[in-house]
Amino acid sequence: MDAAKPSPGHEISICFMDTVIAFRVAYVYENLDMTIQCKVSITGIVQGVGFRPFIYRVAKNNNIRGYVKNSGNSVELLLEGKETDITNFLNTIRSDHPPLSLIKDIQIDPCNENKHYDFAVLKSEKNGISDSVLPPDVAMCDTCVGEIFDTKNNRYLYPFTACTDCGPRFTMIKALPYDRENTTMSEFQMCGSCRNEYNDPMNRRFRTESVCCPDCGPVYELYKGDKKISSENPIKDAAIALDNGNLVAIKGIGGTHFCARTTDDDAIIRMRNILRRPNKPFAIMARNLNAAHNIVHFSKKEEDILLSPQRPIVLLEKKNLISSLISPGLSNTGVMLPYSGMHHLLFNYSRQPAIVMTSANIPGEPMAIENKDILSLNSDYSLLHNRSIRNRCDDSVIKLVNKKASFIRRSRGFVPSPLEVNGCESTVLSLGAELDVTACILKKGKAFLTQYIGNTLKLYTLEYLETAINNLIELTGTRNFDAIAVDLHPSFSTGRLGQELSTRFNAPLFKCQHHFAHASSLMTESGAKRMVCITADGIGYGNDGTIWGGEIIAIDDGFERAGHLMIQLMPGGDLAARYPARMAAGILAKKYQKNELSEIFSPYFENAELDIILKQIATKFNSPLTSSTGRLLDAVSALLGVCTERTYEGEPAMKLEAFAMKGKDRVYIPVIIEKRHGIYTLDTTRILDCIYQAKQNYPLPDIAASAQAAIARGLCEMAIRAAKDRNIDLIGFSGGVAYNDAIVRIAGKMAQECGIKFITHTIVPPGDGGISLGQAAMVASS
């Protein structure tokens, strides 16, 4: 085009991301350059991640005039400049955006407003289209770590140091847009120095809402018992208390940890008594990667996860150089690396290579976040700060299963970043099941899961769930729901809460079968259209009123139960879950007579209790029916003497997995599958009987390994047959048993050898922590 002839109103066009956009010339400057204007809206993870200062710098580098601002749920720009400069600008923000940001969409609309003479960062607006993507918390960056150990820096030894690339976000935020007045940092007035950094677009703390320093930010204080003690350096004195064998409760960014030395059996026993966790594994924090090397084995992939900005707990094979009481009976230990300034300073003062750091809560209840609640935990010392925690957020937990990262808990560092859900435009709220609960808001093709909530049998945890839902509703700008989804189980407290929310929002309530929701969750995260899914776990209310848990679910124009484990009695109901030898007796009752069962199980029970169990089996009184894989694994664990009492969820099966790692699959256990009324059934009585018989001739670890292998082969064989029946070429694995590496590996190899693709979860937990996603997707697509 002839540059000497343009005039205002003349139309030109530019091409961006294969889209041609037409503009009208806004102005013609003295040098006859054509100037165009456009408004740009960018959605994704673009608030609280240094996006506006990045935009400012790119605009200045490309001679762009106009402005940038947060607009409720997105970043809004007005750009004015030459067509080549605007094209370069748009391509740069698409390709070189900040590492913690994620661009979902860029909308460009030509405009013709008043002339701009510079580029500015404007105050945020509160409007928007209510599909916000919120920033998660991330670990302190290396630059900030360097500052807190730089004697010449004004933030020397200051634990709350942060910048645009790191620090708390979700745990501070109260409302959108993500500006300081909408966070818990609004309680702290910035000093002049911090305000200068905050207002300087070229500074890495520009618009960092958590910016503060020792002169204006939060502070730590140290308590002994419930009495505050005078301390010039509370973190240093807390480290000394730890080194001297004391228990220290430490309030962090999104919650509180109970801490002790990793080699101090007495301190760990006291911690277990206080927290009422006799056997549940504790996590540890290692000083650095070298310290972790001395405690656990890990691969390059596991190392990368440890060092990631999210800094989750990673389950790693232990070397037994720490107290066996940290994760008794297990082959692995949860390890994480420091992720806050306080952690780095604590290790700077402590002599410990690693510290036990477990969530400060009694079983089933939320982690303590209020100072008064932390002081009531009966630790020897408490290290507390005066910044409020708006959104409690437990540490995330990851385990490699079949060489792929699998979430056991998706929380800090990942929440509330959404998942993309193709083809779902409905707005649905789902509440999960009962244990390991998360809730989910599905809207406009995005699924927002809450942080880990826990066991909603507890009143405080149910209230926490409701609070987390209300926070997520506020932060996503959701006003109405098309549907509310809950578990099918008639007694779950989440179902009652769902009914209340259904009334509140005048939205229909849908009840989703537990294992269908597991399968739906895997379908949703993978984008699959047709699949046969192995859904194996401890418990889920079935469509027939029995307890499911070893299911083959075919998904092809609906959900169909295509197979399951043999239906077995649970003598005593919940007691059979707590004392799994009861479950073993119920399973073997199909093979042995009463007198034979009495002889087999006399080592496990007193005579009076055994008589009651045998009567329950004979009369089927208080003996619900189940096809649960979890209960079968528990029965194997009890029969082999690995674990005869469950003190936390999944304990017998987890200890069986660890025990089986010492053995090899060398005991012949037949896999017998029958098909009745079009549904495959795996004979689990035959499997458990073979295990019982093998005890006379084989090492117990070999039997354990062989038992797991037989269960894996039986589940996968049923899935393969169901897939071939329906001409489906994809098998998935979901449910809590999907954390068992041996079972998943064997099933995956078996499916692939048959030419069938095999998938597992990598984005949400395969356990009940991911079930809310499946519920929401089921309802949205119905």
Side-chain angles (χ1 to χ4, degrees):
M1 184 173 182
D2 188 347
K5 295 181 180 179
S7 60
H10 191 92
E11 187 172 282
I12 63 171
S13 61
I14 66 173
C15 183
F16 173 67
M17 299 295 292
D18 298 325
T19 300
V20 176
I21 305 168
F23 293 84
R24 293 192 181 277
V25 176
Y27 303 104
V28 179
Y29 285 87
E30 292 182 0
N31 61 1
L32 299 182
D33 285 338
M34 291 179 296
T35 299
I36 58 176
Q37 279 189 352
C38 60
K39 283 192 173 181
V40 179
S41 177
I42 305 174
T43 57
I45 301 177
V46 291
Q47 293 191 24
V49 291
F51 204 80
R52 287 179 296 169
F54 163 72
I55 291 292
Y56 178 89
R57 291 191 293 270
V58 177
K60 298 296 280 187
N61 289 340
N62 285 279
N63 300 310
I64 302 294
R65 298 169 294 281
Y67 60 78
V68 59
K69 63 182 177 181
N70 283 340
S71 182
N73 51 61
S74 61
V75 169
E76 182 181 305
L77 294 73
L78 186 139
L79 306 179
E80 179 183 310
K82 292 190 292 186
E83 57 176 302
T84 54
D85 291 336
I86 287 181
T87 300
N88 289 337
F89 173 90
L90 293 171
N91 287 329
T92 299
I93 64 173
R94 170 63 75 172
S95 61
D96 297 332
H97 55 84
L100 296 179
S101 65
L102 176 66
I103 294 176
K104 167 60 175 145
D105 187 45
I106 299 178
Q107 293 184 354
I108 305 170
D109 295 302
C111 64
N112 194 350
E113 297 189 359
N114 293 332
K115 187 185 300 185
H116 290 263
Y117 297 94
D118 201 353
F119 195 86
V121 179
L122 302 185
K123 186 177 178 65
S124 300
E125 293 183 352
K126 294 185 179 180
N127 59 356
I129 55 176
S130 301
D131 60 351
S132 173
V133 178
L134 312 173
D137 292 13
V138 289
M140 179 180 267
C141 68
D142 291 342
T143 304
C144 284
V145 172
E147 286 182 342
I148 67 173
F149 291 114
D150 180 359
T151 57
K152 297 179 181 179
N153 195 283
N154 69 319
R155 293 185 174 85
Y156 177 57
L157 302 182
Y158 186 60
F160 298 95
T161 299
C163 73
T164 194
D165 292 330
C166 69
R169 288 163 170 78
F170 170 67
T171 52
M172 297 194 318
I173 193 167
K174 295 186 286 188
L176 288 175
Y178 179 65
D179 287 328
R180 193 177 181 98
E181 61 265 27
N182 292 328
T183 73
T184 56
M185 285 302 295
S186 62
E187 305 164 20
F188 302 93
Q189 188 70 30
M190 279 184 281
C191 66
S193 176
C194 287
R195 186 167 294 281
N196 288 338
E197 292 177 306
Y198 183 85
N199 289 326
D200 180 2
M202 302 308 290
N203 191 288
R204 76 177 219 280
R205 291 193 169 91
F206 176 65
R207 294 296 192 266
T208 297
E209 310 308 340
S210 57
V211 66
C212 58
C213 72
D215 294 331
C216 64
V219 295
Y220 269 105
E221 295 176 330
L222 187 64
Y223 289 75
K224 185 174 183 180
D226 60 356
K227 305 296 183 183
K228 186 170 72 172
I229 61 177
S230 176
S231 174
E232 292 184 2
N233 192 331
I235 297 177
K236 180 178 181 180
D237 290 339
I240 293 170
L242 269 172
D243 287 348
N244 290 334
N246 290 286
L247 300 181
V248 182
I250 300 179
K251 182 180 179 182
I253 290 175
T256 305
H257 286 123
F258 225 67
C259 305
R261 297 182 300 186
T262 58
T263 55
D264 191 337
D265 285 357
D266 291 339
I268 294 169
I269 290 171
R270 285 204 300 129
M271 182 186 290
R272 290 198 173 281
N273 290 334
I274 290 171
L275 298 177
R276 301 180 218 166
R277 299 183 209 162
N279 294 297
K280 191 173 184 179
F282 292 154
I284 65 175
M285 179 176 284
R287 174 185 294 270
N288 51 37
L289 208 58
N290 288 334
H293 264 299
N294 295 325
I295 297 169
V296 289
H297 301 277
F298 50 87
S299 65
K300 180 62 170 64
K301 179 177 285 189
E302 289 165 329
E303 177 181 318
D304 290 342
I305 299 171
L306 281 170
L307 291 170
S308 67
Q310 293 80 16
R311 294 292 167 91
I313 296 170
V314 184
L315 298 190
L316 302 168
E317 183 184 353
K318 59 188 179 184
K319 293 182 177 179
N320 297 320
L321 296 179
I322 54 177
S323 171
S324 61
L325 299 177
I326 292 174
S327 53
L330 302 180
S331 60
N332 52 33
T333 294
V335 179
M336 57 183 159
L337 295 178
Y339 57 83
S340 74
M342 178 274 296
H343 295 144
H344 289 284
L345 292 170
L346 188 70
F347 279 109
N348 178 61
Y349 298 124
S350 174
R351 300 190 304 269
Q352 306 307 310
I355 297 171
V356 176
M357 282 199 179
T358 192
S359 298
N361 62 283
I362 63 173
E365 294 196 356
M367 181 169 47
I369 57 173
E370 300 290 342
N371 288 0
K372 62 180 177 58
D373 294 331
I374 300 168
L375 291 173
S376 71
L377 291 172
N378 296 319
S379 60
D380 299 320
Y381 290 84
S382 297
L383 182 63
L384 309 179
H385 62 72
N386 60 338
R387 182 171 68 192
S388 300
I389 297 172
R390 171 68 175 188
N391 299 302
R392 178 191 285 109
C393 205
D394 287 81
D395 296 311
S396 294
V397 184
I398 291 176
K399 177 187 180 183
L400 282 196
V401 179
N402 198 20
K403 299 182 180 180
K404 293 181 179 179
S406 180
F407 279 102
I408 293 176
R409 183 192 298 163
R410 182 182 181 270
S411 204
R412 177 186 54 76
F414 300 93
V415 169
S417 297
L419 288 66
E420 300 299 324
V421 181
N422 296 326
C424 290
E425 295 302 316
S426 299
T427 302
V428 180
L429 170 63
S430 56
L431 277 67
E434 183 173 63
L435 303 179
D436 296 330
V437 165
T438 65
C440 175
I441 292 177
L442 176 60
K443 59 181 295 188
K444 297 184 178 180
K446 295 188 184 73
F448 299 87
L449 274 69
T450 66
Q451 65 272 46
Y452 169 81
I453 303 298
N455 178 1
T456 55
L457 279 168
K458 304 284 187 176
L459 176 61
Y460 290 149
T461 309
L462 184 64
E463 292 173 346
Y464 172 32
L465 171 63
E466 188 169 9
T467 298
I469 289 171
N470 288 332
N471 284 341
L472 198 59
I473 288 171
E474 173 67 26
L475 295 177
T476 57
T478 306
R479 297 292 174 260
N480 298 289
F481 291 102
D482 297 315
I484 309 293
V486 297
D487 194 273
L488 180 64
H489 198 294
S491 300
F492 281 179
S493 54
T494 49
R496 294 191 295 274
L497 177 58
Q499 183 62 64
E500 294 172 9
L501 292 166
S502 172
T503 302
R504 171 183 163 188
F505 289 102
N506 192 27
L509 181 71
F510 290 84
K511 296 185 176 182
C512 303
Q513 200 284 318
H514 189 90
H515 300 94
F516 291 177
H518 269 305
S520 172
S521 176
L522 182 55
M523 286 272 291
T524 303
E525 77 160 65
S526 67
K529 303 300 181 185
R530 303 169 73 235
M531 177 173 70
V532 170
C533 189
I534 302 168
T535 53
D537 61 5
I539 181 173
Y541 191 77
N543 288 336
D544 58 1
T546 64
I547 300 170
W548 292 7
E551 312 307 310
I552 308 302
I553 307 298
I555 309 146
D556 183 13
D557 191 27
F559 295 82
E560 178 189 0
R561 191 188 196 193
H564 56 79
L565 303 190
M566 179 180 283
I567 306 299
Q568 303 286 6
L569 290 173
M570 287 182 65
D574 288 343
L575 283 176
R578 181 171 179 180
Y579 300 103
R582 281 175 169 262
M583 191 70 226
I587 294 173
L588 291 180
K590 289 185 176 179
K591 170 69 184 296
Y592 295 98
Q593 299 298 315
K594 180 179 178 180
N595 62 324
E596 294 172 308
L597 289 173
S598 180
E599 181 178 349
I600 293 169
F601 289 98
S602 60
Y604 298 91
F605 302 104
E606 297 291 337
N607 289 338
E609 184 177 6
L610 183 55
D611 286 344
I612 292 172
I613 294 169
L614 296 178
K615 286 179 182 178
Q616 288 175 325
I617 291 172
T619 62
K620 298 181 174 56
F621 174 74
N622 192 24
S623 298
L625 300 174
T626 183
S627 57
S628 167
T629 311
R631 297 294 80 82
L632 174 61
L633 291 167
D634 291 353
V636 174
S637 186
L639 203 59
L640 296 180
V642 176
C643 182
T644 56
E645 180 182 1
R646 188 192 73 181
T647 63
Y648 62 88
E649 189 67 25
E651 179 181 5
M654 290 166 62
K655 288 184 173 178
L656 178 68
E657 180 183 11
F659 187 70
M661 291 177 67
K662 304 171 186 176
K664 294 183 178 180
D665 174 16
R666 63 178 80 189
V667 180
Y668 173 67
I669 300 177
V671 172
I672 299 173
I673 296 171
E674 295 183 358
K675 189 175 185 181
R676 296 178 181 175
H677 309 295
I679 298 177
Y680 295 105
T681 303
L682 173 64
D683 187 341
T684 51
T685 294
R686 183 66 180 272
I687 289 175
L688 197 64
D689 184 41
C690 287
I691 292 166
Y692 170 66
Q693 298 292 341
K695 288 174 64 176
Q696 317 302 320
N697 302 306
Y698 292 92
L700 297 184
D702 287 351
I703 302 174
S706 303
Q708 290 186 149
I711 293 167
R713 288 193 292 267
L715 287 168
C716 195
E717 178 60 31
M718 288 192 292
I720 290 169
R721 293 185 190 183
K724 289 181 176 179
D725 290 344
R726 295 160 178 81
N727 197 29
I728 293 175
D729 61 359
L730 178 65
I731 289 176
F733 202 134
S734 187
V737 178
Y739 294 126
N740 185 303
D741 182 66
I743 290 177
V744 173
R745 272 192 296 106
I746 292 168
K749 182 180 179 182
M750 189 172 169
Q752 289 162 358
E753 287 176 347
C754 290
I756 300 175
K757 185 179 178 182
F758 182 81
I759 62 171
T760 53
H761 290 269
T762 58
I763 301 177
V764 300
D768 284 2
I771 208 168
S772 60
L773 172 65
Q775 292 171 336
M778 283 178 70
V779 171
S781 61
S782 63

